[in-house]
């Protein structure tokens, strides 16, 4: 019968760990270097930007639809109340039911937004690594060090921040809201 003995992990010598830590920052490519070395990463940033913009526009249209529904029920309730066509108890029940469903739908939209945004963000690290495999002019040693020692998702968002500073949006705020409401086909085609 074997006795259970605790297994102790083998530790690296302190000198080896310090050499790895000292060599890591020098060998890893920076975000500007990655953007310069791979046109696929620039296309990846454009793709992410477009998809994220569509996600935001869809969410905005859904919230406006819920607001229009609530406003329509409110206006209908006022008209029915002034015409005395429905009992006040029925009218208040109708308004409360629509208000409750609107709150539930806003909660559902928030949950869907978080899920979609999380999926989109998580996919970017894998897409960055694929982009580096096929079109990158960096030396193989630096790419290998990057794949071993870096977080690809964080590296993508570093690249995206630089790409975004070079390519600012032309529309912000109320202009983007009006465009997404008035011409949703344009956003679907882009």
């Amino acid at each position: 019968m074997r006795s259970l003995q605790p297994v102790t992990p083998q530790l690296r010598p302190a000198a080896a760990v310090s050499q790895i830590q000292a060599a890591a920052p020098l060998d890893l490519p920076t975000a500007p270097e990655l953007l310069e070395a791979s046109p696929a990463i620039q296309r990846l940033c454009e793709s992410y930007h477009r998809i994220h913009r569509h996600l935001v526009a869809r969410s905005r249209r859904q919230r406006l639809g819920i607001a229009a529904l609530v406003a329509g029920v409110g206006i209908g309730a006022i008209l029915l109340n002034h015409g005395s066509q429905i009992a006040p108890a029925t009218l208040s029940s109708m308004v409360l039911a629509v208000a409750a469903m609107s709150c539930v739908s806003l909660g559902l939209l928030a949950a869907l937004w978080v899920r979609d945004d999380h999926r989109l963000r998580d996919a970017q690290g894998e897409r960055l690594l694929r982009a580096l495999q096929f079109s990158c002019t960096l030396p193989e040693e630096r790419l290998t060090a990057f794949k071993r020692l870096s977080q690809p998702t964080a590296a993508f968002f570093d690249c995206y921040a630089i790409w975004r500073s070079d390519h600012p949006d032309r529309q912000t705020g109320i202009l983007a809201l009006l465009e997404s409401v008035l011409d949703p086909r344009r956003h679907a085609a882009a």
Side-chain angles (χ1 to χ4, degrees):
M1 183 174 215
R2 272 177 29 185
S3 65
L4 297 176
Q5 295 177 355
V7 177
T8 57
Q10 293 193 2
L11 301 175
R12 292 183 180 178
V17 171
S18 64
Q19 287 175 353
I20 290 173
Q21 290 173 346
L26 298 175
D27 294 335
L28 292 179
T30 62
E33 289 175 331
L34 288 172
L35 278 171
E36 278 182 34
S38 178
I41 294 178
Q42 294 175 6
R43 289 190 300 273
L44 180 62
C45 290
E46 292 168 6
S47 171
Y48 173 79
H49 186 72
R50 185 176 56 252
I51 291 169
H52 192 265
R53 190 175 59 217
H54 289 302
L55 188 67
V56 168
R58 183 182 70 193
S59 174
R60 186 180 301 129
R61 286 191 302 272
Q62 289 168 339
R63 288 181 305 206
L64 285 174
I66 291 171
L69 173 70
V70 170
V73 168
I75 291 170
I78 289 172
L79 293 175
L80 290 174
N81 189 27
H82 283 294
S84 300
Q85 297 174 355
I86 294 183
T90 305
L91 190 62
S92 66
S93 296
M94 181 179 74
V95 170
L96 287 176
V98 170
M101 290 307 295
S102 297
C103 290
V104 168
S105 62
L106 284 174
L108 180 63
L109 285 177
L112 291 174
W113 166 264
V114 168
R115 183 201 66 184
D116 291 345
D117 190 53
H118 186 66
R119 282 182 181 172
L120 181 61
R121 286 180 173 272
D122 286 347
Q124 300 313 309
E126 182 181 321
R127 293 177 74 196
L128 176 76
L129 291 176
R130 276 195 313 247
L132 287 174
Q133 278 181 333
F134 298 114
S135 66
C136 187
T137 59
L138 288 174
E140 189 63 34
E141 304 83 39
R142 293 187 75 198
L143 281 178
T144 305
F146 176 79
K147 290 175 184 176
R148 272 186 329 169
L149 301 172
S150 71
Q151 291 287 341
T153 304
F156 167 77
F157 284 105
D158 290 343
C159 292
Y160 178 67
I162 292 170
W163 180 88
R164 183 89 192 258
S165 67
D166 293 341
H167 301 85
D169 279 339
R170 291 186 304 271
Q171 297 176 348
T172 57
I174 206 77
L175 292 175
L177 172 71
L178 288 175
E179 183 179 336
S180 69
V181 171
L182 297 177
D183 194 8
R185 290 173 294 162
R186 181 173 177 213
H187 286 285

